[in-house]
Amino acid sequence: MAKLKLAVYWSASCGGCDVAILDIAERILDVVAIADIVFWPLATDFKYKDVEAMADNSIDVCLFNGAVRNSEQEHIARLLRAKSKTMVAYGSCACFGGIPSLGNFNCRAETFQRAYIEAPTNVNTDHVSPQTLTKVPEGELELPDYWDTVLALHQVVAVEYFLPGCPPPVELTNKVVDALASGELPPPGTIIASDKSLCEECDRIKEDKKITRIYRPHQIIPDPKRCLLELGLICMGPATRGGCGQRCIKANMPCRGCFGPPPGIIDQGAKMLSALASIYEANDEESIAKMLAEVVDPAGTFNRFVMSTSMLQRKHL
Ligand code: SF4
Ligand code: SF4
Ligand code: SF4
């Protein structure tokens, strides 16, 4: 069998998804046995011009991690889409916008002000920040136009498969490797995870208890057997797709929602808000206002990984 051609790209990303691919440890040898890596900026020295020179559809699979937030990333997403038979949105940033999509609560100017001027670790006395040039001087590299709105990959190009997680767990990456090796790929559009919510997979004791206040994780040491939400911690399990192996729950930490909404749920944040309201002892307007006052940054907390694909999409400025 001819070897597959594999590309990996890192867009608006923290780099964790690239590392997650390496986390499959010795199975990387299986990948190399079935595939030639034709583009992977983190690990190889191919340039954009090498990809441009490839024939359309000549890459079999592209694992694309990171969201899309500037014109360079859009250009490469479109380029890799044209060159690839199969695009995989790899990780929560590519699937839903991820952590970078929290930038949708601000505009570009506000993000630059915070990132380049105000951040306490900066030494930037000249207040230098990225510029968009309307006319690029000859010989100068064109600088990317940085957008106000962060997008998920499928909001820019068509995507065949979605592999959520921040980063995706090794088991699910191995599942993709197995599917590539056998040639038995699932139907396009498949989300490579569970078809259940995280709560359905979680075996913690649920007592249908109401809560009277909300705690942050550092404020209590939770009973490792009981439902974290019923202990007053914001566990996103009711509003999150399963399949991660309950990574956080097993570490006695509440789920933060990185697998995105479960099947049938359009908006993860709205689902979590309603789950929390239903478990709160009182549900009159005043009590709900008190509950929300106890949640630090409710919009960001409930949409931490999914702002690009939420019904809100962004804060309207
Ligand atoms: S999904 Fe998580 S690990 Fe992957 S690039 Fe985004 S922030 Fe990093
Ligand atoms: S809310 Fe969290 S701890 Fe409780 S059952 Fe769901 S996933 Fe488990
Ligand atoms: S428990 Fe939640 S936040 Fe943790 S890995 Fe699973 S889906 Fe992601």
Side-chain angles (χ1 to χ4, degrees):
M1 193 176 101
K3 277 177 113 179
L4 299 171
K5 290 193 173 11
L6 175 71
V8 181
Y9 187 65
W10 153 350
S11 187
S13 147
C14 74
C17 279
D18 269 292
V19 174
I21 295 172
L22 296 172
D23 272 351
I24 63 174
E26 69 282 356
R27 289 223 63 199
I28 197 80
L29 298 175
D30 292 345
V31 175
V32 178
I34 58 168
D36 282 333
I37 295 167
V38 295
F39 183 59
W40 189 358
L42 178 98
T44 60
D45 192 26
F46 294 103
K47 307 290 189 214
Y48 290 165
K49 64 177 169 43
D50 300 319
V51 182
E52 282 158 8
M54 294 174 191
D56 282 0
N57 282 330
S58 59
I59 299 173
D60 292 293
V61 183
C62 174
L63 302 180
F64 190 107
N65 73 74
V68 184
R69 78 181 320 169
N70 69 37
S71 55
E72 178 186 353
Q73 293 160 355
E74 180 193 17
H75 171 69
I76 301 301
R78 291 190 188 285
L79 182 66
L80 286 167
R81 172 68 276 184
K83 306 295 179 188
S84 307
K85 292 186 192 120
T86 303
M87 280 293 257
V88 181
Y90 187 87
S92 304
C93 294
C95 290
F96 322 112
I99 295 289
S101 68
L102 288 173
N104 288 0
F105 285 109
N106 302 99
C107 63
R108 174 174 73 170
E110 289 166 335
T111 302
F112 280 13
Q113 176 69 17
R114 178 67 194 157
Y116 295 100
I117 314 296
E118 294 171 358
T121 49
N122 281 349
V123 179
N124 184 5
T125 43
D126 293 335
H127 287 190
V128 177
S129 66
Q131 304 295 310
T132 301
L133 302 181
T134 45
K135 194 168 179 307
V136 183
E138 212 174 311
E140 297 271 323
L141 279 178
E142 191 171 344
L143 295 168
D145 182 19
Y146 190 104
W147 300 341
D148 277 324
T149 302
V150 179
L151 298 177
L153 182 61
H154 71 276
Q155 293 170 323
V156 178
V157 295
V159 169
E160 275 78 24
Y161 304 114
F162 299 84
L163 178 44
C166 181
V170 169
E171 298 71 30
L172 295 185
T173 303
N174 280 336
K175 215 170 160 177
V176 173
V177 174
D178 290 339
L180 291 174
S182 65
E184 289 169 16
L185 291 165
T190 298
I191 298 172
I192 300 165
S194 166
D195 287 334
K196 295 178 178 170
S197 75
L198 186 65
C199 279
E200 288 174 84
E201 295 182 346
C202 177
D203 49 16
R204 284 186 176 241
I205 299 161
K206 295 154 212 143
E207 297 169 295
D208 231 356
K209 280 204 166 152
K210 297 280 183 188
I211 56 172
T212 52
R213 67 157 290 185
I214 288 166
Y215 297 94
R216 300 187 73 190
H218 65 276
Q219 292 176 312
I220 55 167
I221 297 177
D223 179 336
K225 293 201 171 67
R226 290 183 55 203
C227 169
L228 296 158
L229 191 55
E230 292 187 355
L231 293 171
L233 289 160
I234 297 178
C235 180
M236 293 278 292
T240 300
R241 185 181 286 271
C244 68
Q246 301 169 48
R247 284 187 292 189
C248 304
I249 308 296
K250 284 182 180 162
N252 213 15
M253 286 294 286
C255 169
R256 289 153 41 110
C258 79
F259 264 51
I265 299 297
I266 298 168
D267 192 278
Q268 188 181 27
K271 169 70 182 168
M272 190 59 213
L273 190 55
S274 86
L276 202 52
S278 69
I279 195 179
Y280 207 68
E281 190 169 56
N283 54 16
D284 56 282
E285 227 170 90
E286 198 183 321
S287 308
I288 289 175
K290 177 179 165 288
M291 171 191 82
L292 280 179
E294 286 173 354
V295 182
V296 178
D297 180 18
T301 297
F302 301 143
N303 296 286
R304 184 180 269 122
F305 295 94
V306 296
M307 195 57 191
S308 296
T309 51
S310 71
M311 289 195 305
L312 294 173
Q313 277 213 348
R314 63 162 299 109
K315 178 179 162 194
H316 289 280
L317 304 159

